[in-house]
């Protein structure tokens, strides 16, 4: 279900140039061969009980009866992917169930997907398997079931520990409910639990934010993702406009408070929006930032194979129908040029604290220097970019301004 | 052809009084083209002309009309540009005619350009046929308009023909009056060739097509012709008439209007006002009144991308082929790099050139604040002409500065008089005369040209609810208390943003400029200080705060493409930015100098 006419419009007309929009039934017969030694798998579970105002992701209204059809289509999609000649030889190192609300799947439903994946693809025995969970859909039975199915990591959508803020976000859970869900995950045996927060929210002052951050860190999560709110196209808030957004200074201060507290608690700020205890970085998300490859499964899921980035059809109904007809549900695909691959490696890699090899920057500068050398110097001068030991990475302040650099690296 | 059966005429009018509509009506009445085709107003054929509803380039067309006396007449309608920027062009077109149909709108009455065009025609000794148009309008006041024609123009208002060009009412009477009242051309077909160039355009196949009015003699293909102002000799390839498309004829002779092609490469080689004669048997005297169209407004044109410099030069050369009034020469700016100083007849001309460069040549340009040409008397006793504020010598080297003045003529209903005087005062206008014409007044002011080139006309219209009309002509250079106002970004002067202003207005202008720039310069990694200064004295300052954050929080579900495309879009936007020192300045910043 699309949230608004505006989003639909975007889908139809704003298709980026260079992207091939597939005609009905004309998708590739088989998937592109990967270059690298391993793959991640992203599985999109589109269902949500209701859609939150800030959300721009591809979601579908949850109806119990719609799930079996979706699961059958997903199984069919796994079969088609597995039909690629390279499939058996490439190990799957991570699986990530994102949504939507993947935790709406019952343990047997999740088991069926994982079993099918294991049966048809070379899922590594030590693969990181993450399921995103909304606190209100978490129960001991469900998480115990997930654990038994081989899920290794839970990502909990806490968003805030202030009930007033949670209500304004349209979230169905309370701060206490989030805490309970976290403990449930621990009791179910998950030693790798990530939590999500959002800052820069309407009405969120610095004190409330600081309380949320402290409170959450006190739980002792293993990983923390914190996103500054953006009113993305496709969200209701973008369409209707939003008042009460905090001033830019407040938002950057919220970012800094978080970075400070996380560091004090022993977290590494390893990506613009992500913090982890040592050894607990998200293996799956690092695939994205390192411009490595991953398979897309589910409606609207995006994948990257070889030199091709592709995206599935977004509408769940259409996704199912295509798979029932035996075709890969790919809506768009784009083969990257060498220049685009380099640009992506740079602007994704610089999102990580590990940064990028200086050689990549040199390669980009050699292609079209323009004012890039001067710009990089000024970023270094202002301690936004740090170079040393053959690599360059952005600093905490550099992260905050990163798009200003990325746009020049294209 | 007997010259007795030829009439050469123009239609002159204030803007929107119905010139193009009447021209179309004459065309369809004489069967030059059918009525349906006339809808598009053939004479305005450039896209820009249609969009703006004005005539930029003159056109000409030949009508064949069988009059009530039973004879078939050849009526050459020579169109004139309809904007004050192009009054020299109007005068050259009129020089090719014996008469002019002067249109006055029955609801609006005589306006500033009615008067200006009337003077041009009267000075040229033309027979003037007054016509009162739009008599079908409910607000039409035919008698009042007759009265104005008599009072203001000194013509016989009772002779004016009341018409509705829109409905065709009485338009035949206009044709009859052209035949009856405008004299046929005189001239000796046997005398040496003497032809006046009243327009020309560049055609990529035939070279320059020259519009000519033959005063004496004959011309035909193969004939060797001499252009008298520059001494160049060409061989005529084709002679023809416009009916309304170009149609070759065997010969053009004295009194006729038509065109010539002669493998002329550039419009500048056969300028408006030029005299063409026979190379072997030249005429003794060229047609009077030839002068180079003089650029009044100057601006720097710079490519946003340095790599477009050659492309810009080529484009300017191509435009120049077809526009002899336009001039350009290379110039360098510390802020903008390599570009061109260009001269224009006026702001409209500048806008047209800019629009054509962007549309037809796909160039992204920065246009610096337009300037007039100043006369500088240095302490060394030299006299310099400076058309770029950045080139003005330092204040201690200037003995005296002079700026061009124009005589401005305003027609306005009496109720807006106060507002007009207030505006004139803001623009340093000096009142010259005031004349009451019933419910309206005609006021003459002397204005510094620099005050009226940019937004004067818009302001005039706005303070008078659209009722005021305006025209101007160059007067003289006058000494003035002028200062150069510099704009500094983070302490560095940006030469391309310098303006020359009157001392009394410097503070106000400096404040307006810095405020405007603060609004258009995007936030950068560091704070940007915007200062306005006279010499070393800072008179205004604004600050653009440093960028606080510019970050994509998430690329959810690995949708990298969306993120990259968003950045690519931003990059497109950045192409319209110019790096000035370390500060990124958008294209609009340079334009904002004019509008503040």
């Amino acid at each position: 279900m699309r949230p608004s006419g505006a989003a639909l419009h975007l889908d139809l007309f704003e298709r980026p140039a260079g992207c091939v929009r597939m005609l009905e039934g004309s998708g590739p017969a088989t998937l592109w061969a990967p270059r690298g030694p391993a793959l991640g798998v992203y599985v999109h579970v589109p269902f949500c009980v209701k859609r939150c105002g800030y959300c721009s992701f591809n979601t579908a209204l949850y109806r119990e009866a719609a799930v079996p059809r979706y699961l059958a289509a997903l199984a069919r999609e796994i079969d088609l992917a597995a039909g690629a000649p390279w499939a058996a030889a490439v190990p799957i190192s991570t699986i990530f169930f994102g949504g939507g609300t993947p935790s709406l799947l019952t343990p047997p439903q999740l088991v069926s997907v994982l079993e099918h994946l294991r049966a048809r693809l070379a899922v590594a025995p030590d693969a990181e398997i993450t399921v995103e969970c909304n606190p209100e859909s978490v129960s001991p039975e469900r998480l115990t079931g997930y654990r038994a199915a081989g899920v290794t990591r839970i990502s909990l959508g806490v968003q805030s520990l202030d009930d007033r803020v949670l209500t304004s976000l349209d979230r169905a859970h309370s701060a206490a409910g989030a805490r309970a869900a976290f403990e449930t995950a621990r009791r179910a045996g998950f030693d790798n639990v990530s939590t999500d927060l959002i800052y820069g929210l309407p009405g969120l002052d610095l004190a409330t934010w600081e309380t949320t951050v402290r409170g959450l860190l006190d739980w002792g999560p293993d990983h923390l993702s914190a996103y500054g709110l953006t009113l993305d196209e496709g969200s209701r808030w973008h369409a209707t406009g939003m008042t009460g957004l905090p001033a830019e200074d407040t938002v950057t201060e919220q970012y800094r408070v978080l970075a400070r507290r996380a560091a004090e608690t022993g977290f590494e700020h390893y990506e613009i929006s992500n913090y982890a205890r040592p050894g607990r970085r998200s293996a799956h998300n690092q695939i994205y930032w390192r411009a490595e490859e991953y398979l897309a499964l589910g409606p609207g899921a995006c994948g990257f194979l070889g030199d091709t980035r592709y995206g599935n059809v977004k509408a769940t109904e259409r996704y199912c129908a295509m798979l029932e007809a035996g075709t890969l549900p790919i809506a768009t695909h784009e083969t990257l040029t060498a220049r685009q691959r380099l640009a992506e490696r740079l602007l994704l890699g610089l999102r990580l604290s590990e940064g990028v090899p200086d050689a990549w920057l040199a390669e980009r500068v050699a292609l079209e220097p323009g004012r890039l050398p001067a710009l990089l110097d000024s970023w270094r001068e202002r301690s936004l970019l740090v170079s040393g030991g053959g690599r360059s990475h952005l600093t905490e302040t550099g992260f905050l301004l990163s798009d200003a650099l990325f746009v020049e690296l294209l | 052809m007997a010259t007795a059966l030829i009439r050469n005429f123009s239609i002159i009018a204030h803007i929107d009084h119905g010139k193009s509509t009447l021209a179309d009506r004459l065309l369809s009445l004489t069967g030059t083209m059918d009525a349906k085709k006339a809808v598009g107003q053939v004479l305005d054929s450039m896209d820009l002309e249609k969009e703006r509803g004005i005539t930029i380039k003159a056109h000409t067309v030949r009508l064949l009309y069988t009059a009530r006396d039973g004879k078939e007449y050849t009526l050459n309608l020579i169109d004139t540009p309809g904007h004050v920027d192009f009054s020299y062009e109007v005068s050259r077109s009129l020089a090719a005619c014996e008469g002019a149909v002067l249109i006055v709108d029955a609801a609006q009455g005589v306006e500033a350009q009615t008067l200006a065009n009337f003077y041009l025609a009267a000075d040229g000794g033309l027979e003037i046929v007054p016509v009162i148009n739009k008599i079908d309008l409910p607000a039409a006041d035919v008698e009042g308009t007759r009265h104005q024609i008599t009072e203001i123009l000194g013509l016989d208002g009772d002779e004016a023909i009341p018409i509705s060009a829109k409905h065709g009412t009485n338009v035949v009477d206009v044709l009859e009056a052209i035949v009856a009242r405008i004299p046929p051309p005189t001239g000796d077909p046997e005398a040496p060739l003497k032809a006046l160039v009243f327009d020309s355009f560049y055609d990529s196949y035939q070279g320059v097509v020259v519009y000519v009015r033959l005063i004496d003699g004959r011309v035909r293909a193969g004939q060797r012709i001499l252009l008298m102002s520059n001494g160049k000799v060409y061989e005529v390839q084709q002679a023809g008439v416009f009916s309304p498309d170009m149609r070759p004829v065997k010969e053009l002779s004295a009194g006729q209007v038509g065109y010539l092609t002669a493998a002329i490469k550039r419009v500048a080689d056969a300028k408006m006002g030029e005299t063409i004669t026979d190379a072997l048997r030249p005429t003794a005297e060229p047609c009077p009144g030839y002068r180079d169209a003089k650029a009044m407004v100057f601006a720097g044109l710079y490519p946003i991308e340095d790599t477009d410099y050659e492309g810009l030069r080529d484009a300017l050369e191509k435009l120049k082929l077809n526009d002899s009034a336009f001039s350009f020469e290379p110039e360098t700016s510390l802020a903008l790099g390599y570009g061109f100083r260009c001269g224009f007849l006026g702001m409209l001309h500048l806008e047209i050139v800019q629009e054509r460069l962007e549309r037809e040549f796909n160039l992204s340009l920065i246009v610096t604040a337009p300037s007039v040409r100043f006369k500088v008397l240095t302490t060394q006793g030299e006299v310099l002409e400076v058309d770029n504020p950045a080139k003005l010598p330092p204040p201690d080297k200037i003995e005296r500065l002079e700026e061009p003045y124009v005589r401005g003529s305003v027609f306005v209903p009496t109720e807006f008089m106060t507002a007009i005087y207030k505006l004139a005062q803001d623009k340093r206008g000096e009142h010259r005369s005031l004349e009451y014409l019933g419910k309206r007044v005609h006021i003459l002011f002397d204005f510094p040209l620099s005050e009226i080139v940019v937004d004067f006309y818009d302001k005039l219209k706005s303070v008078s609810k659209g009722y005021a009309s305006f025209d101007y002509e160059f007067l003289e250079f006058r000494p003035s208390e002028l200062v150069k106002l510099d704009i500094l970004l983070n302490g560095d002067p940006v030469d391309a943003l310098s303006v020359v202003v009157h001392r009394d207005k410097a503070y106000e202008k400096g404040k307006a400029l810095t405020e405007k720039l603060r609004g258009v310069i995007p936030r950068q990694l560091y704070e940007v200080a915007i200062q306005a200064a006279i010499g070393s004295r800072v008179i205004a300052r604004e600050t653009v705060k440093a960028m606080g954050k510019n970050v994509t929080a998430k690329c959810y579900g690995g949708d990298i493409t969306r993120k990259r495309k968003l950045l690519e879009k931003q990059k497109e936007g950045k192409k319209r930015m110019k790096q000035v020192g370390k500060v990124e300045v958008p294209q609009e910043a340079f334009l904002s100098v004019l509008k503040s």
Side-chain angles (χ1 to χ4, degrees):
Chain A
M1 192 176 81
R2 302 302 313 204
S4 70
L8 188 66
H9 175 86
L10 175 80
D11 203 30
L12 289 173
F13 299 108
E14 303 260 307
R15 187 62 55 195
C19 229
V20 180
R21 191 174 169 84
M22 306 303 302
L23 294 170
E24 196 151 319
S26 70
T30 178
L31 288 172
W32 300 270
R35 295 174 161 227
L39 285 180
V41 173
Y42 175 77
V43 184
H44 192 73
V45 185
F47 305 107
C48 278
V49 173
K50 73 177 198 183
R51 188 177 170 86
C52 304
Y54 61 87
C55 176
S56 65
F57 305 147
N58 185 40
T59 63
L61 193 65
Y62 177 70
R63 284 174 295 114
E64 213 177 310
V67 179
R69 187 183 178 202
Y70 157 76
L71 289 173
L74 187 63
R76 188 82 189 95
E77 193 182 13
I78 294 168
D79 291 341
L80 289 175
W86 47 265
V90 183
I92 304 297
S93 57
T94 67
I95 300 171
F96 192 102
F97 289 88
T101 315
S103 53
L104 287 172
L105 296 182
T106 63
Q109 287 171 333
L110 191 77
V111 165
S112 75
V113 179
L114 277 174
E115 277 185 351
H116 203 67
L117 279 166
R118 289 201 181 93
R120 306 305 308 267
L121 296 167
V123 178
D126 61 346
E128 176 194 273
I129 301 175
T130 307
V131 179
E132 281 187 337
C133 295
N134 278 1
E136 74 277 7
S137 57
V138 161
S139 67
E141 299 72 37
R142 188 153 291 193
L143 291 193
T144 312
Y146 285 0
R147 186 79 193 103
V151 174
T152 64
R153 187 170 178 270
I154 292 295
S155 171
L156 202 59
V158 176
Q159 318 311 4
S160 174
L161 291 185
D162 186 276
D163 286 345
R164 199 177 43 88
V165 171
L166 285 169
T167 309
S168 74
L169 286 175
D170 303 329
R171 300 296 294 198
H173 65 272
S174 63
R179 175 69 196 262
F182 181 80
E183 295 306 331
T184 304
R186 284 288 193 232
R187 277 197 296 275
F190 285 102
D191 62 354
N192 194 354
V193 180
S194 176
T195 47
D196 283 5
L197 288 178
I198 304 178
Y199 60 94
L201 289 167
L204 179 67
D205 58 33
L206 205 55
T208 310
W209 172 246
E210 198 150 7
T211 310
T212 287
V213 171
R214 279 174 188 277
L216 192 87
L217 290 171
D218 282 348
W219 299 358
D222 305 280
H223 185 277
L224 174 60
S225 301
Y227 302 113
L229 176 75
T230 48
L231 298 185
D232 293 327
E233 272 189 84
S235 69
R236 196 172 71 237
W237 286 4
H238 178 265
T240 60
M242 199 60 212
T243 57
L245 290 169
E248 185 186 73
D249 287 355
T250 310
V251 181
T252 55
E253 197 44 38
Q254 288 173 357
Y255 165 86
R256 290 185 193 285
V257 162
L258 168 71
R260 204 155 54 228
R261 294 280 167 242
E264 285 166 12
T265 323
F267 280 79
E268 297 164 340
H269 190 179
Y270 75 100
E271 195 268 345
I272 289 177
S273 305
N274 287 286
Y275 303 79
R277 290 190 184 281
R280 289 295 193 213
R281 297 182 186 192
S282 160
H284 183 81
N285 282 323
Q286 285 185 102
I287 289 178
Y288 301 153
W289 313 135
R290 289 174 179 159
E292 291 165 357
E293 293 154 288
Y294 49 99
L295 207 57
L297 298 173
C302 296
F304 183 34
L305 292 172
D307 294 336
T308 303
R309 290 204 179 270
Y310 67 100
N312 279 350
V313 292
K314 290 189 169 178
T316 304
E317 169 70 33
R318 177 98 198 93
Y319 165 81
C320 293
M322 283 180 80
L323 283 158
E324 283 154 9
T327 42
L328 281 168
I330 293 174
T332 62
H333 64 85
E334 181 181 19
T335 302
L336 302 182
T337 61
R339 167 92 182 244
Q340 285 172 320
R341 283 205 309 277
L342 176 61
E344 286 198 355
R345 264 160 39 213
L346 286 168
L347 59 94
L348 293 169
L350 283 168
R351 294 185 65 95
L352 292 168
S353 59
E354 67 189 30
V356 294
D358 286 335
W360 294 3
L361 282 171
E363 197 184 329
R364 170 61 186 82
V365 169
L367 275 175
E368 190 195 342
R371 55 210 172 107
L372 201 50
L375 187 81
L376 289 170
D377 283 346
S378 97
W379 275 65
R380 289 188 186 105
E381 240 167 68
R382 287 168 197 278
S383 298
L384 301 170
L385 182 72
V386 172
S387 302
R391 297 184 73 87
S392 292
H393 66 89
L394 292 174
T395 60
E396 206 105 282
T397 309
F399 278 157
L400 262 185
L401 302 170
S402 52
D403 277 353
L405 177 63
F406 295 166
V407 75
E408 305 288 342
L409 292 174
L410 288 174
Chain B
M1 185 201 296
T3 55
L5 295 178
I6 297 176
R7 299 291 181 275
N8 298 316
F9 73 105
S10 277
I11 306 176
I12 53 180
H14 188 74
I15 190 163
D16 285 339
H17 281 200
K19 190 173 80 167
S20 296
T21 315
L22 177 61
D24 283 348
R25 190 53 78 172
L26 296 179
L27 260 64
S28 63
L29 261 183
T30 53
T32 312
M33 64 185 318
D34 66 50
K36 253 189 249 158
K37 266 197 188 162
V39 172
Q41 295 194 341
V42 273
L43 291 185
D44 292 345
S45 66
M46 260 166 91
D47 279 354
L48 276 169
E49 294 180 328
K50 282 187 185 136
E51 277 169 34
R52 290 167 180 256
I54 49 162
T55 309
I56 296 162
K57 213 105 180 101
H59 302 261
T60 193
V61 61
R62 191 178 76 149
L63 319 172
L64 296 177
Y65 173 62
T66 307
R68 288 185 188 134
D69 64 11
K71 293 177 191 157
E72 187 183 65
Y73 290 84
T74 297
L75 311 181
N76 293 306
L77 165 56
I78 294 163
D79 196 21
T80 56
H83 189 275
V84 289
D85 279 3
F86 302 100
S87 64
Y88 175 67
E89 281 73 359
V90 176
S91 77
R92 289 307 85 203
S93 296
L94 293 177
C97 305
E98 279 76 29
V101 173
L102 173 74
I103 305 179
V104 183
D105 184 314
Q108 306 290 332
V110 171
E111 297 277 6
Q113 284 157 39
T114 317
L115 193 61
N117 285 320
F118 164 75
Y119 283 143
L120 285 174
D123 290 352
L126 270 61
E127 177 66 33
I128 292 166
V129 177
V131 159
I132 299 172
N133 190 22
K134 305 196 192 179
I135 56 166
D136 54 305
L137 290 182
D141 175 9
V142 176
E143 284 319 303
T145 308
R146 283 192 198 283
H147 186 70
Q148 287 184 14
I149 290 171
T150 309
E151 288 297 305
I152 306 172
L153 306 179
L155 295 170
D156 184 353
D158 293 334
E159 275 188 16
I161 308 165
I163 67 162
S164 163
K166 190 172 156 197
H167 299 295
T169 319
N170 299 342
V171 173
V172 173
D173 294 345
V174 177
L175 287 167
E176 286 296 322
I178 291 167
V179 168
R181 286 161 57 182
I182 296 177
T186 53
D188 181 0
E190 307 311 324
L193 171 65
K194 181 174 183 177
L196 170 71
V197 175
F198 61 89
D199 197 10
S200 55
F201 71 91
Y202 181 79
D203 177 279
S204 46
Y205 298 104
Q206 307 175 83
V208 176
V209 177
V210 186
Y211 292 51
V212 286
R213 155 69 200 274
L214 268 70
I215 311 292
D216 290 319
R218 306 169 192 276
V219 67
R220 55 168 68 205
Q223 194 172 339
R224 308 268 293 165
I225 52 169
L226 166 71
L227 273 51
M228 292 184 79
S229 81
N230 57 26
K232 291 189 176 172
V233 174
Y234 298 91
E235 185 182 310
V236 175
Q237 293 183 329
Q238 200 182 88
V241 294
F242 301 91
S243 65
D245 297 323
M246 286 166 58
R247 190 165 60 77
V249 294
K250 229 175 98 191
E251 182 184 84
L252 290 171
S253 65
Q256 288 190 299
V257 167
Y259 69 89
L260 297 176
T261 63
I264 300 170
K265 297 246 165 26
R266 304 187 320 147
V267 166
D269 292 333
K271 289 181 191 169
M272 198 169 265
E274 172 71 80
T275 303
I276 292 178
T277 188
D278 191 292
L280 300 174
R281 194 166 74 107
T283 182
E285 284 290 322
C287 309
Y290 173 82
R291 64 176 167 93
D292 271 332
K294 217 171 163 55
M296 301 287 271
V297 175
F298 301 83
L301 261 56
Y302 289 83
I304 289 199
E305 296 289 330
D306 297 341
T307 46
D308 281 345
Y309 178 78
E310 290 303 322
L312 176 57
R313 181 210 297 278
D314 291 348
L316 292 173
E317 270 172 10
K318 282 200 183 104
L319 285 189
K320 174 86 190 152
L321 284 176
N322 212 355
D323 185 350
S324 62
F326 162 70
S327 65
F328 67 97
E329 55 184 44
E331 90 173 351
T332 333
S333 151
L334 287 174
L336 301 178
Y338 293 98
F340 297 91
R341 195 75 191 166
C342 303
F344 306 93
L345 295 170
M347 281 303 287
L348 179 72
H349 191 204
L350 184 161
E351 281 170 35
I352 290 163
V353 168
Q354 183 192 355
E355 240 174 274
R356 293 189 64 187
L357 288 169
E358 299 207 332
R359 270 195 215 185
E360 294 168 31
F361 298 93
N362 201 22
L363 292 162
S364 279
L365 297 176
I366 283 173
V367 180
T368 65
S371 168
V372 298
R373 178 171 273 162
F374 298 98
K375 268 192 186 157
V376 185
L377 178 66
T378 68
T379 46
Q380 254 75 45
E382 297 165 281
V383 178
L384 308 173
E385 290 207 341
V386 177
D387 56 30
N388 179 352
K391 301 270 161 65
L392 213 60
D396 58 334
K397 297 276 190 301
I398 298 175
E399 181 69 40
R400 197 173 71 216
L401 260 177
E402 290 184 1
E403 65 178 326
Y405 267 69
V406 296
R407 172 71 42 91
S409 143
V410 179
F411 277 81
V412 70
T414 46
E415 59 193 291
F416 301 112
M417 262 174 78
T418 320
I420 297 295
Y421 274 105
K422 166 92 177 54
L423 175 66
Q425 195 181 5
D426 286 350
K427 298 290 183 185
R428 296 194 279 138
E430 292 165 27
H431 178 252
R432 282 285 158 248
S433 71
L434 168 68
E435 195 182 346
Y436 281 87
L437 312 158
K439 288 177 183 162
R440 297 193 311 158
V441 286
H442 180 209
I443 320 171
L444 292 179
F445 294 100
D446 291 353
F447 284 110
L449 176 63
S450 64
E451 295 283 347
I452 62 159
V453 283
V454 179
D455 58 357
F456 179 78
Y457 193 68
D458 294 340
K459 288 205 166 132
L460 186 87
K461 285 286 177 193
S462 109
V463 300
S464 67
K465 299 205 168 110
Y467 283 109
S469 62
F470 180 68
D471 198 89
Y472 68 86
E473 57 181 355
F474 174 74
L475 212 51
E476 62 193 355
F477 277 86
R478 291 185 188 170
S480 215
E481 282 290 306
L482 299 170
V483 291
K484 184 168 81 143
L485 185 66
D486 291 317
I487 296 293
L488 293 79
L489 294 181
N490 282 350
D492 299 325
V494 181
D495 56 0
L497 289 173
S498 293
V499 284
V500 172
V501 292
H502 193 266
R503 186 177 294 283
D504 295 346
K505 290 184 145 191
Y507 177 75
E508 183 195 333
K509 180 83 180 173
K511 200 161 170 305
L513 259 177
T514 50
E515 275 171 16
K516 191 86 184 212
L517 287 168
R518 179 173 52 97
V520 295
I521 294 178
R523 294 168 68 186
Q524 330 238 329
L525 288 180
Y526 31 80
E527 192 175 283
V528 178
I530 306 163
Q531 295 168 302
I534 301 170
S536 58
R537 190 162 55 91
V538 173
I539 58 167
R541 182 196 158 112
E542 292 283 342
T543 307
V544 179
K545 269 179 60 183
M547 185 192 289
K549 72 177 175 66
N550 182 7
V551 58
T552 307
K554 54 185 178 275
C555 301
Y556 191 82
D559 191 355
I560 309 304
T561 306
R562 178 168 172 173
K563 153 105 173 152
R564 183 165 47 79
K565 299 292 175 189
L566 282 173
L567 288 170
E568 276 168 4
K569 220 174 186 178
Q570 276 183 38
K571 190 179 185 180
E572 265 315 295
K574 283 200 141 199
K575 285 198 177 150
R576 301 187 82 79
M577 300 269 206
K578 188 88 190 176
Q579 188 88 12
V580 177
K582 283 193 168 179
V583 183
E584 278 180 348
V585 183
Q587 197 184 23
E588 312 93 86
F590 298 91
L591 286 173
S592 69
V593 181
L594 9 157
K595 306 275 160 145
S596 58

